[in-house]
């Protein structure tokens, strides 16, 4: 078994496969869906309250891991900016082209611009390659967190979890 979050600070493939907040490939291919990469039993639950569809369940014991009810998720992005651990992403593998869209919280400045080329990074911070910014979303309600959507090759959709600017 490969080292996991407690040793490396990021999820191993096994943890990803077994996480209760990870949507199936079939669901990801039908359209945008939340990916809850939260596998530590910490007292936390704002994601549950933020979801207008009831698609996230933590329950009364707030140290429970969040469970994603993937068929209820409409990909609205409301849960992404409220997660203090920046552990929620949105993945959309529905394109018939060989590309997927990954949306992630981003708290650095300057923000990237739409259509800017940036470098996709995996969970370990390793470079995957160049990618394009599709959308940058920032509202007053989001405090300091912007949501950035990038387009990546389909095989990177469950690996890309950050990016860095080239400029
Ligand atoms: S993306 Fe929207 S619908 Fe899906 S889990 Fe998050 S808040 Fe709920
Ligand atoms: S808000 Fe984030 S850290 Fe807290 S339970 Fe939800 S996914 Fe986990």
């Amino acid at each position: 078994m490969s080292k996991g979050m407690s040793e490396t600070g990021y999820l191993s493939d096994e943890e990803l496969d077994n996480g209760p907040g990870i949507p199936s490939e079939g669901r990801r291919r039908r359209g945008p869906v939340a990916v809850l990469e939260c596998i530590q039993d910490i007292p936390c639950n704002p994601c549950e309250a933020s979801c207008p569809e009831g698609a996230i369940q933590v329950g009364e014991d707030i140290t429970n891991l969040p469970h994603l009810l993937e068929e209820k998720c409409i990909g609205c992005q409301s849960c992404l900016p409220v997660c203090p651990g920046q552990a929620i992403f949105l993945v959309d593998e529905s394109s018939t082209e060989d590309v997927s869209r990954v949306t992630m919280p981003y708290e650095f400045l300057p923000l990237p611009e739409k259509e800017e080329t940036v470098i996709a990074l995996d969970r370990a911070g390793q470079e995957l390659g160049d990618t394009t910014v599709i959308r940058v979303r920032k509202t007053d309600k989001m405090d300091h967190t912007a949501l950035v959507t990038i387009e990546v090759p389909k095989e990177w959709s469950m690996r890309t979890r950050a990016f860095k600017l080239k400029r």
Side-chain angles (χ1 to χ4, degrees):
M1 179 182 281
S2 58
K3 292 177 180 174
M5 173 78 100
S6 59
E7 286 180 68
T8 64
Y10 55 88
L11 283 99
S12 66
D13 289 344
E14 286 92 342
E15 288 171 328
L16 199 61
D17 287 344
N18 296 324
I22 310 299
S24 65
E25 182 177 358
R27 174 62 189 83
R28 299 197 305 269
R29 288 187 179 255
R30 287 203 298 279
V33 64
V35 179
L36 313 174
E37 299 197 354
C38 180
I39 58 142
Q40 290 180 310
D41 300 333
I42 50 170
C44 185
N45 68 350
C47 54
E48 181 178 45
S50 74
C51 180
E53 302 297 319
I56 300 176
Q57 284 186 347
V58 176
E60 282 189 21
D61 180 353
I62 66 167
T63 61
N64 289 338
L65 294 180
H67 285 242
L68 178 73
L69 306 178
E70 63 179 26
E71 297 306 332
K72 287 190 170 188
C73 176
I74 59 169
C76 70
Q77 304 187 353
S78 298
C79 54
L80 275 71
V82 307
C83 174
Q86 297 199 336
I88 308 180
F89 305 86
L90 200 83
V91 169
D92 180 359
E93 298 179 355
S94 64
S95 171
T96 52
E97 310 288 320
D98 192 27
V99 290
S100 296
R101 291 185 173 189
V102 180
T103 302
M104 61 194 78
Y106 189 78
E107 297 190 334
F108 301 105
L109 291 174
L111 289 173
E113 294 178 6
K114 188 177 174 187
E115 296 181 4
E116 182 170 341
T117 300
V118 297
I119 302 170
L121 305 175
D122 68 13
R123 292 180 186 81
Q126 299 293 316
E127 293 187 10
L128 293 167
D130 284 0
T131 180
T132 306
V133 175
I134 300 299
R135 187 181 186 205
V136 179
R137 190 173 159 221
K138 179 109 178 62
T139 69
D140 291 343
K141 276 172 47 178
M142 290 178 185
D143 198 13
H144 299 295
T145 306
L147 297 181
V148 178
T149 303
I150 60 177
E151 195 163 70
V152 300
K154 208 158 250 172
E155 64 269 23
W156 296 357
S157 67
M158 290 301 282
R159 296 177 63 199
T160 306
R161 289 299 176 264
F163 66 87
K164 68 180 182 183
L165 303 182
K166 295 187 78 154
R167 53 183 146 118

